[in-house]
Amino acid sequence: MQLYNTLSAKEREILIEEAGKDRLTISFYKYAHIGNPEIFRNHLFINWDALEVLGRIYVAKEGINAQLSVPAENFEAFKAHLDTITFLENVRLNIAIEHDNKSFLKLKVKVRNQIVADGLDDGTFDVTNKGVHVNAEMFNQLIEDPDTVLVDMRNHYESEIGHFKNAITPDVDTFRDSLDIIEKDLADHKEDKKLVMYCTGGIRCEKASAYYKHKGFKQVYQLEGGIIEYTRQVESQKLENKFLGKNFVFDHRRGERISEDVIANCHQCGNPCDTHVNCANEACHLLFIQCEDCATAMNNCCSDDCKEIHALPYEEQKELRKGKVVSNKIFKKGRSEVLKFKK
Ligand SMILES: [Zn+2]
Ligand SMILES: [Zn+2]
């Protein structure tokens, strides 16, 4: 699926024509102060339902986070409606053509406490007081500045397979953890250093940049649209690519190759490899990096124990699983004692 950002009117026209009777899949987010999310939610539902919009939209006092699809022929009307909402005028839309048209079956607009579950309490600081947005070209210049500290706001398993040259990549499982670690590490440089941050699609930095400003950092910058948009701009504007390796993505592909560098290692044998897999033992499902040789030798499992269980008849496996939670998925996030080469 090809994602398009910040399309011109002409480009949009071509896209809609290309889509024909298909739907366009759109995602966008915006931090803003919404006084009454319930009323806002109803307003969106009434207007978007009329345009046959389907999708999952979260609305909170801190903003909106939307994943939705709209018939290509209704796109202009949808865009016009967005533009009637002050804080969504010209919001950056990620758009893709969805040929199977089944990404969403209903329109669900939900009121939540937060638009992303990031563990940061709502109301402690102003989320709209964010850092300076920079595009790929400015970002490339900024990260060469000796006064810049470049920080990767993603989790360890994301930055492990790909990150920007010279970036600090906190060894954390959650966004919340990285906020504290970075603040502590950079406590003496709140005024003299430029704090430049990036993440996958930009949304985590929206919050993080506001958080660091609230914590007293004077020069805070963020990569607009994240690695996804950076890659697009590097290609379309023929800029130098400063991202090494793969961009971790949260769909079945797990990673999108951006440069030919392989910066990670197989967690079982240590050979260069940046392919994430899930342990084939369904009761484990651990996310880890495994080379093809190890995949063959271990029957796609993360450990001898898992290999043994995975070899049992399915009914027996099910019996073993009874009453147990899939703990790796929830708590370990890609960490396990059995992985010899996981740093
Ligand atoms: Zn290996
Ligand atoms: Zn396993």
Side-chain angles (χ1 to χ4, degrees), residues 110-123:
K110 292 187 172 169
V111 175
R112 288 274 168 96
N113 285 329
Q114 293 183 296
I115 59 170
V116 183
D118 56 22
L120 268 182
D121 285 343
D122 196 16

Side-chain angles (χ1 to χ4, degrees), residues 5-13:
N5 289 321
T6 48
L7 299 171
S8 68
K10 185 73 205 154
E11 286 167 313
R12 232 158 53 201
E13 203 179 296

Side-chain angles (χ1 to χ4, degrees), residues 279-281 284-286 301-303 306 328:
C279 176
N281 173 17
C284 172
H285 208 69
L286 179 72
C301 289
C302 76
S303 64
C306 283
N328 279 334

Side-chain angles (χ1 to χ4, degrees), residues 278-288 300-307 328 336 338-339:
N278 284 106
C279 176
N281 173 17
E282 279 180 45
C284 172
H285 208 69
L286 179 72
L287 179 74
F288 70 112
N300 303 307
C301 289
C302 76
S303 64
D304 289 327
D305 285 352
C306 283
K307 191 179 164 187
N328 279 334
S336 170
V338 300
L339 300 174

Side-chain angles (χ1 to χ4, degrees), residues 266 268-270 291 294:
C266 171
Q268 289 174 322
C269 71
C291 74
C294 289

